[in-house]
Amino acid sequence: MPELLLELLSEEIPARMQTRAAEDLVRLVGEALAPLNPCAATGFSGPRRIALTLTLDAMVPGTTIAERGPREGAPDRALDGFTRKHGVTRDDLVLEGGFWVLNRTLPPVEAATRIAEILPPLLRRFPWPKSMRWGQGSAFTWVRPLRRILCLLDGQIVDFTLAEGEDNGHGLRADRLSEGHRFTAPAPFAPENAAAWQAGLRDRQVLADAAERRTLIAEGVARLAAEEGLSVAADPGLVDEVAGLTEWPVPFLGRIDAAFMDLPAEVMQVSMRVNQRYFALRNDDGSAAPRFAFVANLLPADGGALTIAGNERVLRARFADARHFWDLDRSRTLASRVPALDAVTFHAALGSQGARVARIIRLAGLLAPMVGADPAQAERAALLAKADLTTGMVGEFPELQGVMGAYYARHDGEAADVANAVAEHYMPRGQTDGVPTAPVSIAVALADKIDSLTAFFAAGEKPGGSGDPYALRRAALGVIRIIRENALRLDLVRVFVLASESLPGDLANAPDLDLLPAFVAERLRVQLRAEGARHDILAAISSGNADSDITRLLARTEALAAMLATDDGRNLLAATKRAANILRIEDRKDGPHDGTPDPALYEQDEERDLANALLDTIPAVETAIADERFEDAMRDAAHLRPVLDRFFEAVTVNADRADLRLNRLRLLANLRRMTVLIADFSQIEG
């Protein structure tokens, strides 16, 4: 099969856009060339280029297609419009099935022809998050000025141009030329195929494969650190970013002046990462090491001595700035900064950050006894939690909010639990982040997230579609994770009501607040689905159930899932679904069939056995669920399986006698009432 190589060489592409761009290129070209059966597609991305290679058929085979036109007997103007649209005459049409049909034969199309047809419009509509214009004479845009287009099919140039009418397309035309490293090998070269292209780039100090660059960076930095007895602070996002900034990555180590080693490790790491894309290193005990790692984009002629010295000099200036903020911020207590939050707007409808802090203080105090925390400490931590937003360090590095507040709280002599809660109240910040486990931290973290949920829902800012500007889905998942991982027992509906009572104006009665429990329940189902757990069972248990205790709901879910994993459980599910289906059909006719069955109308032992079993099982299940002995409840319910099997094998529910039919339907209604105590079995898959 012929091989296609496409490379788009431009000025430097932002690192955050490269991977997605390569994926989009592979997807869009694959879709456009679908008639050629493309396969083995591979995307490449780097600072100056995105590219792809794939194999495909040599041509699109010829085919005949049928275009159906107006019905036989349609007005002449309809037929004339159809023939005019397709550029044919009435003699070219045939009658098939009462319609005029145009059978058209499409000739085969060479792969090169098809490629040349689809690429210009595809490149003109390429979905960059942001594009720019440059030069004159063309409206064509690209993420950065596009300089070359290499397009080869089995070593031959696929000739096309981006010119379109009077638009000159910046004079860009497909060729066979590529370029190596901008500084060490800028001259163009002409590869014959994809393998020669990759090899030619490598010879010219460019690694086309982003994954190879990431591996080289991660392993190279780790190796240099290990030689010094150090380790690298984990930061996969930084590895990805640096791989998008370098074509020929060369790792180096630099030294940090001892004068800066008393700065908080987080300050040093964030300053290095944000400002310079440096890697922080750690000693064996996890403390900050007096070294840092960075990656150059070429191997200097002097082996790197001048490069290392230059980066050390830059880092000294960065750390001097951080030292200034560190010393200035500690000249005032954290508590003295709280009043300044009154001048910081949180949301137009919700007031200032100061008003929000007041709500969090109240809610943290109410939550504290529910999670085993000291209310006074929870309220103190809530008071200080947002104060670092007014500090110079957080103003420079917003990533450090909470972290710096904890440092300043310790400096001021605040209690350890209070300072830790200031640091941890944002947790979890993401899916891989841990959750707070200390009671005071839990109370403040929950208060912070629950206030966000209630406040923004009340203000009409609930998420819609994929939009979530206030990160409320993340806040809900944070609440869920804190509750689950600490096995907390909270009535979330009651907590939401408590939180809403502090909202300004009449927002406490906002109708959207009623949507919050369902919103959190849906986030819980999403989380279970991501974990591969039985989210359908949770939905079945939650159906018609006002319980908002997540820990209790999950315990019931696990118990029911365990029962349904047994033969008795699976057969009970099938039998109860059968009973529910019968009742649904019969209730439409003359239901509902509620009421107590009459024992005198039982004609068969199987009816009596099921009735007696239900008399024993229903109160047992009710008591077990009330006592939160969910495994016992499921075991009691599973004991019905053999009795139900015999009932459906031997008893005709829709008997000819009306009184027998009604009695048997009431018996099944009793069974349904029992199963509803456990879950809505109709929502369970299987």
Side-chain angles (χ1 to χ4, degrees):
M1 297 175 72
E3 174 193 72
L4 172 65
L5 168 63
L6 174 65
E7 179 195 51
L8 302 158
L9 184 74
S10 69
E11 300 299 326
E12 276 68 11
I13 305 168
R16 68 184 183 279
M17 299 184 186
Q18 294 169 17
T19 300
R20 176 62 181 272
E23 293 171 352
D24 285 340
L25 184 65
V26 169
R27 174 179 57 82
L28 292 172
V29 172
E31 291 172 355
L33 296 180
L36 290 164
N37 300 312
C39 60
T42 303
F44 300 87
S45 63
R48 298 178 61 215
R49 72 200 77 219
I50 59 172
L52 69 79
T53 64
L54 55 81
T55 58
L56 69 176
D57 294 342
M59 67 173 58
V60 180
T63 185
T64 299
I65 61 172
E67 299 276 359
R68 193 170 76 171
R71 288 181 177 274
E72 181 183 8
D76 287 346
R77 63 178 179 276
L79 202 57
D80 291 341
F82 179 73
T83 57
R84 188 165 53 250
K85 173 184 175 182
H86 293 284
V88 297
T89 67
R90 295 191 183 191
D91 293 339
D92 296 313
L93 307 181
V94 295
L95 276 172
E96 292 182 5
F99 288 88
W100 289 103
V101 175
L102 171 63
N103 293 310
R104 306 180 66 181
T105 300
L106 300 180
V109 179
E110 297 286 343
T113 302
R114 179 63 177 160
I115 293 167
E117 288 174 352
I118 66 102
L119 282 180
L122 185 152
L123 297 181
R124 282 185 172 273
R125 68 172 190 272
F126 196 81
W128 290 107
K130 291 184 178 181
S131 297
M132 64 177 290
R133 297 178 183 271
W134 70 96
Q136 294 180 344
S138 179
F140 177 80
T141 63
W142 202 245
V143 62
R144 295 293 184 269
L146 187 61
R147 298 308 187 197
R148 292 187 184 276
I149 301 174
L150 179 153
C151 190
L152 300 178
L153 182 66
D154 257 8
Q156 301 301 311
I157 297 172
V158 179
D159 185 35
F160 65 87
T161 175
L162 293 186
E164 188 178 77
E166 296 183 359
D167 188 317
N168 65 20
H170 301 294
L172 289 165
R173 192 176 200 96
D175 206 335
R176 67 162 62 251
L177 297 179
S178 183
E179 295 178 12
H181 197 286
R182 180 186 291 277
F183 302 113
T184 62
F189 71 101
E192 293 295 326
N193 51 43
W197 171 73
Q198 287 201 67
L201 288 176
R202 187 182 297 273
D203 291 342
R204 292 163 176 80
Q205 289 78 58
V206 173
L207 296 178
D209 186 355
E212 183 180 1
R213 297 197 305 276
R214 284 193 291 269
T215 299
L216 192 153
I217 291 166
E219 293 181 352
V221 169
R223 183 183 66 255
L224 292 177
E227 291 172 358
E228 300 284 329
L230 307 173
S231 60
V232 184
D235 195 341
L238 181 57
V239 173
D240 291 342
E241 186 174 7
V242 173
L245 295 172
T246 56
E247 292 184 310
W248 192 253
V250 181
F252 291 103
L253 290 190
R255 191 172 297 279
I256 300 173
D257 287 358
F260 300 114
M261 291 308 297
D262 63 334
L263 287 172
E266 296 91 344
V267 170
M268 297 169 68
Q269 181 175 356
V270 170
S271 179
M272 287 190 286
R273 187 197 199 287
V274 171
N275 290 319
Q276 301 303 137
R277 309 313 190 259
Y278 294 162
F279 293 87
L281 304 184
R282 297 284 183 260
N283 295 310
D284 287 341
D285 61 0
S287 61
R291 307 297 299 273
F292 69 96
F294 67 94
V295 179
N297 194 29
L298 51 79
L299 179 61
D302 65 353
L306 188 61
T307 301
I308 292 171
N311 281 275
E312 289 176 343
R313 184 170 61 253
V314 170
L315 189 58
R316 279 195 294 273
R318 293 297 188 187
F319 280 176
D321 291 342
R323 161 75 65 194
H324 167 74
F325 292 126
W326 174 241
D327 293 338
L328 183 64
D329 289 345
R330 291 183 299 163
S331 66
R332 293 176 54 189
T333 64
L334 193 62
S336 71
R337 295 180 175 275
V338 173
L341 293 173
D342 291 333
V344 180
T345 299
F346 173 60
H347 185 276
L350 299 169
S352 67
Q353 281 283 5
R356 182 174 187 237
V357 166
R359 295 196 301 270
I360 295 174
I361 292 171
R362 173 182 173 273
L363 187 56
L366 294 172
L367 285 168
M370 303 180 195
V371 300
D374 179 344
Q377 286 196 330
E379 290 173 354
R380 181 66 179 178
L383 172 72
L384 302 175
K386 305 297 181 183
D388 66 355
L389 295 176
T390 67
T391 63
M393 189 73 81
V394 172
E396 181 74 8
F397 303 115
E399 302 90 338
L400 292 176
Q401 56 189 282
V403 173
M404 297 315 302
Y407 275 107
Y408 298 145
R410 295 186 190 103
H411 177 266
D412 297 342
E414 298 287 348
D417 284 347
V418 170
N420 291 339
V422 172
E424 296 173 354
H425 83 280
Y426 288 106
M427 296 170 61
R429 296 174 186 260
Q431 292 183 345
T432 60
D433 194 19
V435 302
T437 55
V440 175
S441 299
I442 290 171
V444 182
L446 284 175
D448 177 52
K449 293 168 179 59
I450 289 170
D451 177 75
S452 289
L453 289 167
T454 54
F456 284 117
F457 264 69
E461 299 282 9
K462 62 183 183 296
S466 60
D468 189 8
Y470 299 105
L472 299 185
R473 292 187 180 99
R474 185 173 66 187
L477 284 172
V479 170
I480 291 167
R481 284 192 57 199
I482 291 171
I483 291 173
R484 290 184 68 187
E485 296 178 34
N486 289 288
L488 301 178
R489 303 301 305 273
L490 292 178
D491 181 345
L492 275 182
V493 169
R494 175 170 172 258
V495 172
F496 290 147
V497 171
L498 292 173
S500 67
E501 290 170 352
S502 299
L503 294 174
D506 59 354
L507 290 181
N509 299 314
D512 281 356
L513 284 171
D514 294 337
L515 305 176
L516 253 181
F519 177 75
V520 175
E522 177 58 25
R523 290 301 96 199
L524 179 57
R525 285 193 285 274
V526 167
Q527 189 179 60
L528 292 181
R529 189 181 300 117
E531 296 170 0
R534 292 293 300 271
H535 57 90
D536 59 318
I537 295 179
L538 174 65
I541 286 175
S542 301
S543 179
N545 183 353
D547 191 358
S548 62
D549 184 329
I550 289 176
T551 299
R552 182 162 53 220
L553 286 172
L554 291 178
R556 291 182 64 171
T557 299
E558 292 171 4
L560 181 53
M563 182 189 80
L564 295 177
T566 66
D567 286 340
D568 280 349
R570 284 188 291 269
N571 289 330
L572 177 64
L573 174 64
T576 53
K577 284 188 173 184
R578 181 177 178 183
N581 287 335
I582 293 172
L583 284 169
R584 183 173 62 254
I585 294 169
E586 299 308 313
D587 282 351
R588 289 195 193 118
K589 297 177 182 177
D590 55 0
H593 296 91
D594 298 328
T596 303
D598 183 357
L601 292 175
Y602 296 146
E603 287 197 339
Q604 297 175 238
D605 290 341
E606 290 80 7
E607 293 176 271
R608 298 183 187 91
D609 291 344
L610 178 57
N612 292 332
L614 287 173
L615 287 174
D616 294 335
T617 301
I618 291 175
V621 169
E622 287 176 332
T623 301
I625 289 177
D627 295 342
E628 298 188 16
R629 294 182 289 106
F630 302 120
E631 292 181 359
D632 292 346
M634 304 309 162
R635 185 168 53 250
D636 290 336
H639 288 161
L640 287 173
R641 176 262 173 114
V643 181
L644 269 172
D645 288 348
R646 291 194 295 271
F647 176 85
F648 281 118
E649 288 172 3
V651 177
T652 300
V653 176
N654 284 318
D656 293 334
R657 281 176 50 186
D659 57 344
L660 289 183
R661 171 181 172 273
L662 175 61
N663 208 53
R664 290 167 181 175
L665 288 172
R666 284 178 172 174
L667 186 56
L668 292 187
N670 268 358
L671 171 66
R672 181 173 60 185
R673 282 193 292 274
M674 188 279 296
T675 59
V676 167
L677 293 173
I678 298 172
D680 180 357
F681 279 37
S682 66
Q683 296 197 33
I684 298 176
E685 299 171 3

